[in-house]
Amino acid sequence: MIEVCRTIRTPPERIFAVLADGWSYASWVVGAAHIRAVDDGWPAVGTRVRHRVRPWPLQIEDQTVVREMEPDRLLELDAHAGPLGIARVRLTLEPVSATVTRVRMGWRAAAGVARFVPEAVLSLMLRPRNSETLHRVEDIAIHRQLPAP
C-alpha cells in the first residue's frame, strides 16, 4: 500500500465534513474533473459519487463507491478509473489534540492494469498526487464555511 500522511490544524469533524460532501469530491481528488451525481446518504457504505476523470476531452465517466465508513475517523473507497481499474483508497483521521488531526491516505490497486505495475513505480507517480489531495482537503477543511448544524 502506498501511504501519505499530513497533519492538519483542525479537528477531525471538519476534515470529515469535507469527505462527507460528495459534491466537493472533484475539489480535493486530483484527477476528478466533474461530479455528475451523488447518491443520497453519501458517505454511507455502498453509496456512490459518479464523476469524470482525466482532462477534457479525454474524460472517462466513472464512479467511486464507499466500502467502509466511521464518522470523523475513517472513509474507505473504491475509486473506479475506467480501463485503469479500481483503486482502494483509505483515509484515516487520527486526533493529535482537540485542534490537530493526522490524516493518512493509503492507496492500492484493487483491480485493473495498475495491479501489474511495480509498487515502486506507482509510488513515484502517486505519492505527489496523493500529497496534493491531502493538501486540498486541508485547504477546504480550514477555509470553507461549514453549514450551521
Side-chain angles (χ1 to χ4, degrees), residues 121-139:
V121 173
L122 285 173
S123 183
L124 286 173
M125 296 183 305
L126 291 172
R127 280 187 189 280
R129 174 202 179 267
N130 294 349
S131 291
E132 173 61 19
T133 291
L134 291 186
H135 181 77
R136 292 177 183 190
V137 168
E138 176 180 30
D139 283 345

Side-chain angles (χ1 to χ4, degrees), residues 68-125:
E68 188 177 348
M69 186 274 292
E70 294 177 37
D72 302 334
R73 187 180 148 349
L74 170 73
L75 186 62
E76 185 173 280
L77 308 168
D78 275 350
H80 297 241
L84 297 176
I86 300 171
R88 177 84 28 89
V89 180
R90 186 175 183 89
L91 295 143
T92 306
L93 285 60
E94 304 165 7
V96 175
S97 71
T99 59
V100 177
T101 306
R102 182 175 301 112
V103 182
R104 295 184 187 281
M105 179 180 177
W107 185 103
R108 74 175 176 84
V113 297
R115 290 182 313 155
F116 303 106
V117 178
E119 188 169 316
V121 173
L122 285 173
S123 183
L124 286 173
M125 296 183 305

Side-chain angles (χ1 to χ4, degrees), residues 22-36:
W23 290 103
S24 79
Y25 187 85
S27 299
W28 56 271
V29 175
V30 175
H34 174 75
I35 302 303
R36 297 178 293 120

